Amino acid sequence: MKVEVIAVGGYNEVGRNMTAVRCGKEIVIFDMGLRLDQIMIHEDAEVENLHSLDLIEMKAIPDDTIMNTVEGTVKAIVCTHGHLDHIGAIPKLAHRYDAPIIATPYTAALIRQQIEGEKRFVVNNPVFELPAGKKYRYEISQHLSLEFIIVQHSIIDAAMAVLHTPPRGAIVYALDFKLDRTPVLGDPPQHCTHA
Ligand SMILES: [Zn+2]
């Protein structure tokens, strides 16, 4: 099984993060973010009313039209924490994929709030809560499963995502994090608790 990483957004800029990982014919998307500064420069832009293609042109959300050239089916959309550069494009792009959105409980609540505020698109993707920690796994398909690892960031319930792709091993998607062994809120990073 071939594993391929598609750098969709956020790679040569700050914001609008989106990465797709293709394992054989199955694809998992990590994050769908917004680039706020690209919205701010348009004084009267009301994001909730704008179309995805306009926002792509404004460079405010990832240009996911590249996904049309990737062979395979998107099986899951995974968000690692609730900052807008990771979840802000969900209301504009998620409906294009017949796939659930998976996030930690707090992140999932923020995603639902984003979806409720959307005025242009109807987003019906189910939103699943997967708590971070070794005990919890989400079976994406027969071949792929997902685990969240507890990390600290400037927002609670942040996680690294680990995509288990036996027999190819694990793919770790880790963006914003800090390893704080004595966090004010939440549990310390997992490698500390399970060492
Ligand atoms: Zn962040």
Side-chain angles (χ1 to χ4, degrees), residues 81 83 85-86 153 176:
H81 63 276
H83 283 154
D85 55 335
H86 297 256
H153 184 29
D176 310 354

Side-chain angles (χ1 to χ4, degrees), residues 38-57:
Q38 294 297 93
I39 304 232
M40 302 301 203
I41 54 175
H42 300 270
E43 262 176 26
D44 43 5
E46 287 176 352
V47 184
E48 59 276 20
N49 290 313
L50 286 174
H51 195 278
S52 340
L53 295 175
D54 297 323
L55 286 158
I56 288 173
E57 201 163 312

Side-chain angles (χ1 to χ4, degrees), residues 3 26 32 34 39 42 47 59 64 80 96 107 131 140 164 176:
V3 176
E26 299 179 318
M32 276 185 176
L34 192 67
I39 304 232
H42 300 270
V47 184
K59 300 197 186 322
D64 76 333
T80 50
R96 302 190 201 214
T107 309
I140 294 174
H164 293 278
D176 310 354

